[in-house]
Amino acid sequence: APRYPRYTREEVGRHRLPQDRVWVTHGTEVFDVTDFVELHPGGADKILLAAGGALEPFWALYAVHSQPHVLELLREYKVGELSPEEAPPAAAAAGDPFAGDPPRHPGLRVNSQKPFNAEPPAELLAERFLTPNELFFTRNHLPVPAVDPGSYRLRVEGPGGRALSLSLPELRSRFPKHEVTATLQCAGNRRAEMSQVRPVKGLPWDIGAISTARWGGARLRDVLLHAGFEEEREGEWHVCFEGLDADAGGAPYGASIPYGRAVSPAADVLLAYEMNGEELPRDHGFPVRVVVPGVVGARSVKWLRRVAVSPAESPSHWQQNDYKGFSPCVDWDTVDYKTAPAIQELPVQSAITHPRPGAAVPAGELTVKGYAWSGGGRPVVRVDVSLDGGRTWRVARLSGERPPPGRAWAWVLWELQAPVAAGAELE
Ligand code: HEM
Ligand code: MTE
Ligand code: MO
């Protein structure tokens, strides 16, 4: 058998661009696939997502690769082996509060490592109506708590009901499982584009702080009614959520929604324990999270430990002093948080996932793709696309689910084919 040179993962990692040669690993083998990039049936942009690292996490998303002819083809490009001392990524330092965070998919675009905040790359974001769990955007404010499912209890309490302490098996067996397809979007989605207009503080999210899943769990409504809370209540009431993740001072992540939304059968608010048919991944709230469809992601509290009915909104920083909207004339030095309500329903949103800004597109027929979504369960009825800065418009083809009226919780994906003249600049 031929003897191949040995490389470390770091050396492989220096080969991410065609000008540096494109290397990937599979098992312990190293391949130079530069000459295959343009021949890849799935497109050059996709194969480049794996450049400099392991193929397996990407091939796990696309089963077409689990055929013998794909490995045979790959073998032609073998240039080396990984060094035998190449251990799995080093264990995190003791004393690091993030040392217990779970492993993540290498395709995610990371905006912050600790706490972990990451989005699927635009090339993969709208490839599928349901976002694969390992690519679903992650927005963590704190380290991911380690939860023992056996001793986990969810507390439910507040005036007007009896206190409950529910184990995971109780939550699963006492209440019917309800399933909802819902898109979650962070309020910061597309902040990088906002910063091009005027620099704003916060994580520089591109267009991927949004993802869609089929969530399964108990209806919050069923749990509240089981605890004896009335469907109709006089006066102002809120349902507050607390997570098991807490800051250095011991304050948990928290948020609240109005009582009426929590008990409304049409609002579909879930205490979810399943995501796309699997148990919730740790990054997305294992073992139980709230899913509030149509509402800013911040209210869908992960690692849920407590549900409290209260006459006041959640006292949490993230309900009181963050996730609020202000005039452009207000900045961080002059803001008075009490003057604005906490964001609940989000407005309409639409973004182009392909082509990317600045991309060169060949003359001929261009495919433009993207997603569109609205908060509040309002359906997207049409997506119009302009290639000439808004002078003329074409209507895109939509694909998605057909939800009941007022319950359009999921995005639609859209696509348009349009002719492009040579040398044209498209806006
Ligand atoms: C399709 C090889 C990396 C996404 C294919 C096919 C081959 C192939 C041979 C056609 C399979 C068939 O239809 O029988 C490779 C090799 C890779 C690589 C050798 C790395 C060296 C990737 C990566 C992604 C990807 C990293 C995604 C991030 C796809 C997709 C298709 C495909 C979406 C289906 C295209 C279609 O049917 O329209 N690939 N692939 N591939 N690949 Fe890859
Ligand atoms: N819940 C807890 N306990 N801790 C958090 O940091 N982040 C919130 C929300 N729930 C958060 C949380 C924010 S701001 C968003 S946008 C969503 O979770 C993101 O959910 P995801 O990470 O599953 O995409
Ligand atoms: Mo968020």
Side-chain angles (χ1 to χ4, degrees):
R3 283 186 51 90
Y4 286 98
R6 308 276 187 165
Y7 299 105
T8 61
R9 288 195 196 276
E10 202 205 324
E11 283 169 309
V12 174
R14 289 188 215 125
H15 297 271
R16 295 177 184 274
L17 299 168
Q19 59 262 39
D20 305 321
R21 308 293 300 172
V22 176
W23 288 14
V24 293
T25 66
H26 189 263
T28 58
E29 298 176 299
V30 180
F31 304 89
D32 178 342
V33 293
T34 316
D35 299 330
F36 179 69
V37 169
E38 291 299 328
L39 307 174
H40 178 229
D45 58 339
K46 290 223 178 49
I47 197 170
L48 286 174
L49 291 169
L55 282 172
E56 288 90 335
F58 296 92
W59 281 6
L61 297 170
Y62 293 100
V64 286
H65 301 97
S66 51
Q67 311 178 68
H69 76 266
V70 177
L71 276 182
E72 264 160 49
L73 183 154
L74 188 60
R75 207 168 296 142
E76 294 170 36
Y77 298 99
K78 181 160 174 177
V79 292
E81 300 262 354
L82 282 174
S83 304
E85 64 272 20
E86 197 46 70
D96 176 355
F98 296 92
D101 271 21
R104 275 102 184 194
H105 196 281
L108 289 169
R109 293 283 178 263
V110 178
N111 295 315
S112 143
Q113 196 59 245
K114 299 174 181 184
F116 190 72
N117 288 284
E119 60 189 295
E123 292 83 346
L124 300 181
L125 177 62
E127 286 283 292
R128 299 184 190 174
F129 176 69
L130 295 180
T131 316
N133 288 356
E134 53 275 44
L135 288 182
F136 201 98
F137 86 97
T138 298
R139 203 297 175 232
N140 294 344
H141 293 80
L142 297 159
V144 176
V147 186
D148 166 27
S151 53
Y152 171 82
R153 295 288 182 283
L154 173 63
R155 282 193 292 145
V156 181
E157 57 202 5
R162 63 200 164 88
L164 303 179
S165 170
L166 297 168
S167 71
L168 211 42
E170 286 167 342
L171 188 68
R172 286 173 175 274
S173 63
R174 285 203 193 154
F175 308 95
K177 183 164 105 185
H178 186 65
E179 288 189 75
V180 179
T181 308
T183 296
L184 289 187
Q185 181 181 229
C186 184
N189 193 26
R190 308 184 71 175
R191 187 179 284 125
E193 289 163 282
M194 294 178 208
S195 281
Q196 285 170 12
V197 180
R198 190 179 126 185
V200 285
K201 222 168 105 168
L203 295 165
W205 295 106
D206 190 16
I207 60 172
I210 183 168
S211 300
T212 300
R214 180 103 180 133
W215 307 94
R219 283 182 190 265
L220 175 58
R221 164 194 165 83
D222 292 345
V223 174
L224 291 173
L225 298 186
H226 176 77
F229 292 100
E230 301 280 349
E231 211 160 339
E232 302 280 343
R233 293 187 74 140
E234 288 277 306
E236 185 182 332
W237 290 93
H238 303 268
V239 177
C240 303
F241 309 118
E242 277 177 20
L244 284 158
D245 49 339
D247 66 19
Y253 184 87
S256 60
I257 59 172
Y259 187 83
R261 182 177 288 277
V263 292
S264 160
D268 285 321
V269 180
L270 287 188
L271 304 182
Y273 43 76
E274 276 178 19
M275 181 176 184
N276 292 326
E278 291 166 22
E279 90 182 352
L280 273 186
R282 287 189 62 210
D283 263 331
H284 301 291
F286 176 82
V288 178
R289 79 174 300 166
V290 185
V291 173
V292 191
V295 159
V296 65
R299 313 298 168 221
S300 289
V301 173
K302 305 191 277 190
W303 314 291
L304 186 65
R305 72 170 191 197
R306 181 165 176 257
V307 173
V309 174
S310 160
E313 283 185 83
S314 165
S316 153
H317 165 80
W318 294 280
Q319 188 79 18
Q320 300 291 333
N321 299 337
D322 204 351
Y323 299 109
K324 291 188 169 187
F326 296 94
S327 161
C329 69
V330 169
D331 64 31
W332 290 85
D333 305 320
T334 58
V335 65
D336 175 2
Y337 289 108
K338 289 185 289 299
T339 59
I343 296 171
Q344 295 284 343
E345 292 185 0
L346 285 174
V348 72
Q349 169 72 287
S350 179
I352 298 170
T353 57
H354 181 85
R356 301 270 53 221
V361 295
E365 194 171 68
L366 172 68
T367 301
V368 189
K369 290 200 252 186
Y371 65 76
W373 176 79
S374 168
R378 292 174 288 274
V380 169
V381 297
R382 201 180 70 240
V383 173
D384 295 341
V385 182
S386 174
L387 300 180
D388 55 11
R391 275 192 295 282
T392 62
W393 296 86
R394 290 161 188 269
V395 178
R397 204 161 4 93
L398 307 185
S399 63
E401 288 182 348
R402 217 171 254 288
R407 291 158 84 179
W409 309 129
W411 63 14
V412 294
L413 302 181
W414 56 261
E415 196 169 318
L416 173 82
Q417 264 86 37
V420 172
E425 201 165 288
L426 310 177
E427 187 187 339

